Amino acid sequence: MKFVIQRDQLMDSVQHVMKAISSRTTIPILTGLKIEAKDDGVKLTGSDSDISIESFIPKEEDGIINVEQIEPGSIVLQAKYFPDIVRKLPQKTVEIESDDHLKVTIRSGSAEFHLNGQDADEYPQLAQLHTEDSFEIPIDLLKNLIKQTVFAVSTVETRPILTGVNMKVEDNHLDFIATDSHRLASRKIPLEKSSSQLKFSNVVIPGKSLNELNKILDDTHDNIEVSVTENQILFRTKNLYFLSRLLDGNYPETSRLIPEQSKTIVYGNTKELLNSIDRASLLAKESRNNVVRLQTKENNQIEITSNSPEVGKVVEELTAKSIEGEELKISFSAKYMMDALKVVENEQVKIEFTGAMRPFIIRPIDNDNVLQLILPVRTY
Amino acid sequence: MNTWAEMNETQPLVSKMLANSIKKDRISHAYMFQGAKGTGKYQLSLLLAKSLFCKNRLDGDPCNACKDCQRIDSGNHPDVHQIIPDGQSIKKEQILHLQKEFTYTGLESNQKVYIIVDADKMTTNAANRLLKFLEEPSKLTTAMLLTENSQAIIQTIRSRCQIMALQPLNPKTVEKKLQEQGLSDSSAKLMAAMTNNINEAVEISEDEWFANARKLVVQLVEVLQAKPDEALLFIHNQWMPHFKERDQLQQGLDLLIFFFKDIIYHYIGNENAIVYINLLDQITQASMHWSRQYATHTLNMIMEAKRKLDQNVHPALVMEQLTLQIQR
């Protein structure tokens, strides 16, 4: 293998794939970074077996030549040293060459490094692209979907399947659902292209992978292609591939959890509500489960209280836009409520209650596709 | 050990059972390979893993040439997880990592294998964690627990595995093979008693450290007979500096065991079984000093000392106690 490459381009790619490489891995080869040279460009791969990131540097892009003198081949290099070497090389171009004995030479100007590589055959083979089960959505929308659901995944490993986000595609709609069995966050969007054959329901992406993906992607309107294989999911932008393994198991059926009727509906200002719950939770934080209580009153008044006997209590009244239905007293976790309100992204919010012991739903006033469900806390 | 036929030479029963279950596609979800050192537990587990993953399987045998086979041999296969004791024991965190690994789908296929080496070294915590997913295996998961002592593994785990007992190798065959490798009669006999692994035996016998260890054991026995008062001094000045690590000391005690065993063999007239054939004089002399009953008693004490070493008792204290007990 041999090629000559622009150092800045290479550095960019290396930085991307390094995000997937972890030094604490049980599979020795994964401490390395795979470099693969093909006739049309150079591909770098990093992986910690949960997520894998591939970055492709095309030979030529917009008339600018990135890579020259390509002789195809592949090699795995120690990720501990390679990035620092590339960063500190003196010249704008870097020549990388490997021989049959897995020895790699990195040349730039007068500097010359000789590294011991590893056989690229030893590297895990990542799933090839399956174009049948794929769809495209804009990157910023995907980031939004992730942001609005991933916070609700479970952090305890007792039910591992709940540490992931359930992705469903049905009737041309894409649905993200996350729950930790105390709350549920869901977001639905219509898919642009009419790919009506496309349907899958039991795809569960680990929350950690989605957080990582969210960090890597830039906020742009470009499209990202999402494809699902039997055991992996692939997110593909132009030159960056992000692969994640899926969680094994059946995701619980969540649609039945969402109450269809409501007894009390409160319309209010999102920000005001969020701030007042934030204030009430200042005292509640100290007590074990961070519980605040909400009570509806006459004249569209809501009273939010919190009482921790050792510390003190707080009472706050705020005016809702309107309150429909029965009177209500309900207690819930302030943290869950705040998490839910933060992602509503609308000035006005609609909260539907079905009694003090039943779950309630939070939605932005104009959009039925965002849904946050919270289970109340029983207090006496 | 690259094929089941090769495995059949040393472990006919087990390899036949496994080869048949592969051919009939009836692999159990968990195996426990139990057998003395050198009986090929690890090779067996790799062979089984390769047979499960290899795509060019021929009549149950892996091809040993494809990427899957090669990566299993080099420990780089992403869907084969090996757990090796971290220091003295297998820790809870190692099993936790495994547990997390198994909530995910496989990286390349949905087939997954985990191999736990020295499974008896699991802490109770780790064992109980393992139990949880040993109980509810997913379809394509195969567990292999390797151990020299299956009784040291908690009953609840044992009952969930298919136990495969590997038969100990015949010391005579090992001895013969070692002689073919160019070892002298006396060291071939000793090595055959020490280990069942031919390569390891050759390696040890060429080690200078081991030669010195052998000398020290003979010296210790002489000191114990002639100048028992200086035994403690000998332990501190000569013995401990040489046997620095715990497993080195274990080996030293093994050598000591052979000597006392030889005394007993000498008493009962089973001269063929004697390991130190070049030390017959010393053995005869020692058997004048120690009665047969006393030698048996001493063997018990050495075993006890070995057990204490495993339980993290300070090595110097173990040796001091042992020599005091032998003197008495």
Side-chain angles (χ1 to χ4, degrees):
Chain A
M1 180 190 79
K2 187 190 171 189
F3 58 86
V4 178
I5 192 165
Q6 295 295 317
R7 194 180 59 125
D8 290 348
Q9 285 282 333
L10 182 64
M11 200 59 232
D12 263 3
S13 280
V14 168
Q15 266 163 355
H16 280 306
V17 299
M18 280 304 288
K19 287 186 183 123
I21 298 175
S22 135
S23 54
R24 292 181 301 119
T25 167
T26 49
I27 305 167
I29 193 89
L30 291 185
T31 55
L33 185 155
K34 183 177 164 187
I35 303 175
E36 194 179 355
K38 284 187 190 157
D39 287 330
D40 56 344
V42 174
K43 190 163 80 178
L44 304 183
T45 311
S47 171
D48 70 351
S49 89
D50 293 345
I51 59 169
S52 312
I53 299 175
E54 294 185 316
S55 176
F56 185 73
I57 307 168
K59 189 177 176 183
E60 202 184 320
E61 197 180 21
D62 306 330
I64 303 164
I65 291 177
N66 293 322
V67 194
E68 295 170 296
Q69 302 173 31
I70 300 177
E71 285 170 23
S74 54
I75 191 92
V76 177
L77 281 177
Q78 278 295 318
K80 212 169 147 191
Y81 306 107
F82 185 62
D84 287 336
I85 291 175
V86 176
R87 189 177 309 125
K88 294 186 175 166
L89 286 175
Q91 298 272 310
K92 280 276 166 216
T93 57
V94 185
E95 182 188 328
I96 297 179
E97 187 177 359
S98 75
D99 64 12
D100 295 340
H101 306 292
L102 305 174
K103 294 263 182 289
V104 180
T105 312
I106 302 170
R107 255 181 239 111
S108 177
S110 50
E112 192 171 303
F113 283 85
H114 295 278
L115 287 181
N116 296 329
Q118 282 169 286
D119 192 352
D121 278 349
E122 296 272 323
Y123 207 81
Q125 284 141 37
L126 302 173
Q128 295 303 310
L129 310 182
H130 273 257
T131 32
E132 307 115 51
D133 280 355
S134 67
F135 57 87
E136 284 189 2
I137 59 169
I139 291 178
D140 49 353
L141 189 57
L142 177 70
K143 281 183 74 123
N144 212 338
L145 274 169
I146 294 172
K147 211 172 67 196
Q148 284 177 329
T149 49
V150 80
F151 66 87
V153 299
S154 169
T155 48
V156 289
E157 300 273 340
T158 43
R159 287 185 70 191
I161 192 81
L162 294 187
T163 58
V165 175
N166 185 204
M167 186 176 88
K168 276 187 194 172
V169 175
E170 251 172 349
D171 310 326
N172 262 333
H173 277 78
L174 171 69
D175 202 355
F176 271 46
I177 301 160
T179 175
D180 63 0
S181 76
H182 300 292
R183 56 165 160 184
L184 180 144
S186 133
R187 171 84 198 265
K188 207 176 213 174
I189 55 158
L191 284 177
E192 279 173 19
K193 269 191 197 149
S194 56
S195 39
S196 49
Q197 273 91 16
L198 202 60
K199 184 179 175 182
F200 38 77
S201 56
N202 198 25
V203 174
V204 189
I205 314 161
K208 249 193 262 159
S209 304
L210 284 178
N211 278 326
E212 207 58 46
L213 176 67
N214 197 17
K215 271 187 234 161
I216 289 168
L217 295 177
D218 299 325
D219 253 325
T220 55
H221 284 298
D222 292 343
N223 272 353
I224 184 165
E225 188 186 293
V226 184
S227 17
V228 179
T229 67
E230 196 186 344
N231 46 24
Q232 303 230 24
I233 184 162
L234 169 70
F235 297 92
R236 191 170 75 142
T237 62
K238 209 163 113 213
N239 288 327
L240 197 69
Y241 302 171
F242 182 97
L243 277 127
S244 167
R245 284 156 86 191
L246 299 173
L247 285 170
D248 205 5
N250 289 318
Y251 204 79
E253 178 56 48
T254 49
S255 58
R256 276 177 294 123
L257 300 175
I258 299 159
E260 278 161 14
Q261 288 154 352
S262 54
K263 290 183 183 156
T264 317
I265 302 177
V266 175
Y267 295 90
N269 182 302
T270 317
K271 203 115 193 222
E272 276 176 21
L273 198 57
L274 178 61
N275 288 341
S276 94
I277 287 178
D278 198 1
R279 278 188 289 274
S281 84
L282 285 176
L283 296 186
K285 247 182 234 163
E286 291 299 318
S287 69
R288 210 157 40 89
N289 40 14
N290 200 357
V291 173
V292 297
R293 173 193 277 243
L294 181 148
Q295 188 176 352
T296 58
K297 298 223 162 154
E298 285 171 14
N299 301 331
N300 290 341
Q301 292 291 305
I302 312 172
E303 185 184 80
I304 290 173
T305 54
S306 165
N307 187 9
S308 345
E310 314 92 71
V311 191
K313 62 193 278 184
V314 46
V315 182
E316 178 167 350
E317 283 205 0
L318 75 157
T319 316
K321 217 169 116 204
S322 70
I323 297 173
E324 294 166 11
E326 296 172 10
E327 267 190 26
L328 175 87
K329 273 186 201 168
I330 192 166
S331 303
F332 48 80
S333 156
K335 182 181 177 297
Y336 291 171
M337 188 68 172
M338 276 151 51
D339 282 345
L341 287 173
K342 271 178 201 160
V343 297
V344 159
E345 290 183 343
N346 189 301
E347 272 182 28
Q348 301 295 319
V349 65
K350 170 176 151 192
I351 310 177
E352 295 169 63
F353 298 93
T354 18
M357 286 303 145
R358 310 278 310 147
F360 59 94
I361 301 173
I362 303 156
R363 278 191 170 126
I365 206 157
D366 59 340
N367 188 347
D368 262 3
N369 289 332
V370 181
L371 180 144
Q372 307 284 340
L373 178 129
I374 295 174
L375 260 71
V377 176
R378 195 189 291 266
T379 50
Y380 298 100
Chain B
M1 307 278 180
N2 286 334
T3 61
W4 290 106
E6 269 176 55
M7 199 42 122
N8 203 19
E9 283 168 23
T10 49
Q11 300 292 345
L13 206 66
V14 170
S15 66
K16 196 170 176 191
M17 271 159 81
L18 287 175
N20 278 341
S21 42
I22 288 171
K23 278 177 206 158
K24 292 187 178 137
D25 204 16
R26 275 164 53 175
I27 291 292
S28 161
H29 75 279
Y31 289 101
M32 181 178 290
F33 297 140
Q34 173 210 346
K37 214 173 176 181
T39 43
K41 298 180 293 283
Y42 187 62
Q43 287 94 323
L44 183 64
S45 66
L46 287 190
L47 180 58
L48 183 57
K50 280 190 275 186
S51 307
L52 291 173
F53 278 102
C54 183
K55 290 179 186 85
N56 314 325
R57 204 165 67 199
L58 193 73
D59 198 23
D61 278 329
C63 69
N64 287 306
C66 67
K67 281 182 184 174
D68 282 308
C69 289
Q70 278 176 359
R71 285 184 299 168
I72 289 171
D73 275 333
S74 64
N76 274 332
H77 198 287
D79 293 330
V80 177
H81 303 278
Q82 301 190 14
I83 302 278
I84 293 162
D86 172 16
Q88 286 277 316
S89 59
I90 295 179
K91 309 259 163 20
K92 195 176 90 189
E93 290 72 36
Q94 293 179 281
I95 300 293
L96 233 106
H97 165 81
L98 200 60
Q99 199 171 13
K100 193 220 91 189
E101 197 58 53
F102 281 86
T103 60
Y104 279 58
T105 52
L107 188 60
E108 288 185 7
S109 60
N110 274 329
Q111 174 92 45
K112 273 180 276 189
V113 166
Y114 52 104
I115 299 171
I116 301 180
V117 181
D118 287 339
D120 49 303
K121 295 220 172 112
M122 272 189 286
T123 61
T124 327
N125 255 332
N128 282 317
R129 289 223 164 240
L130 176 68
L131 193 59
K132 228 184 143 198
F133 59 96
L134 207 56
E135 269 173 338
E136 309 162 350
S138 58
K139 282 167 286 174
L140 287 162
T141 305
T142 311
M144 293 180 222
L145 281 69
L146 318 182
T147 176
E148 285 171 33
N149 178 7
S150 71
Q151 297 302 315
I153 294 178
I154 58 172
Q155 165 69 30
T156 32
I157 286 193
R158 250 184 300 148
S159 70
R160 280 160 183 80
C161 300
Q162 192 170 343
I163 298 180
M164 296 270 174
L166 277 73
Q167 61 186 44
L169 305 179
N170 187 349
K172 284 270 174 286
T173 4
V174 179
E175 203 183 311
K176 217 175 238 163
K177 275 191 188 160
L178 284 174
Q179 281 169 357
E180 283 165 20
Q181 297 263 345
L183 267 73
S184 67
D185 286 5
S186 60
S187 55
K189 202 148 193 170
L190 180 60
M191 287 307 148
M194 286 285 292
T195 173
N196 281 328
N197 188 327
I198 305 286
N199 294 338
E200 196 187 330
V202 174
E203 214 169 275
I204 297 179
S205 67
E206 283 165 0
D207 195 353
E208 197 185 338
W209 177 88
F210 187 75
N212 286 332
R214 218 161 123 182
K215 255 182 239 157
L216 274 175
V217 170
V218 179
Q219 278 174 18
L220 176 67
V221 177
E222 274 166 5
V223 168
L224 280 170
Q225 289 174 55
K227 303 170 263 187
D229 295 342
E230 286 170 25
L232 282 186
L233 210 61
F234 178 79
I235 292 294
H236 273 276
N237 289 343
Q238 320 250 344
W239 185 276
M240 291 319 290
H242 190 66
F243 298 98
K244 281 190 203 99
E245 302 292 323
R246 256 166 221 273
D247 42 337
Q248 288 180 334
L249 190 52
Q250 291 277 16
Q251 252 179 12
L253 289 179
D254 278 338
L255 290 172
L256 200 60
I257 284 181
F258 296 144
F259 194 88
F260 278 91
K261 252 179 163 174
D262 284 355
I263 296 179
I264 293 174
Y265 286 138
H266 183 72
Y267 267 114
I268 59 174
N270 188 1
E271 308 280 342
N272 282 338
I274 287 183
V275 174
Y276 292 106
I277 37 174
N278 54 344
L279 297 177
L280 273 178
D281 289 351
Q282 277 96 328
I283 291 167
T284 324
Q285 205 191 343
S287 52
M288 308 239 195
H289 191 83
W290 287 305
S291 71
R292 180 169 141 196
Q293 207 179 3
Y294 198 84
T296 325
H297 178 63
T298 309
L299 277 176
N300 263 327
M301 287 185 303
I302 304 174
M303 294 299 284
E304 180 64 31
K306 278 174 70 85
R307 196 153 37 239
K308 279 185 183 139
L309 276 182
D310 266 340
Q311 288 163 353
N312 254 338
V313 182
H314 195 281
L317 296 181
V318 172
M319 279 314 294
E320 277 178 21
Q321 192 194 25
L322 181 64
T323 40
L324 285 174
Q325 278 171 335
I326 298 178
Q327 278 174 31
R328 213 177 283 147

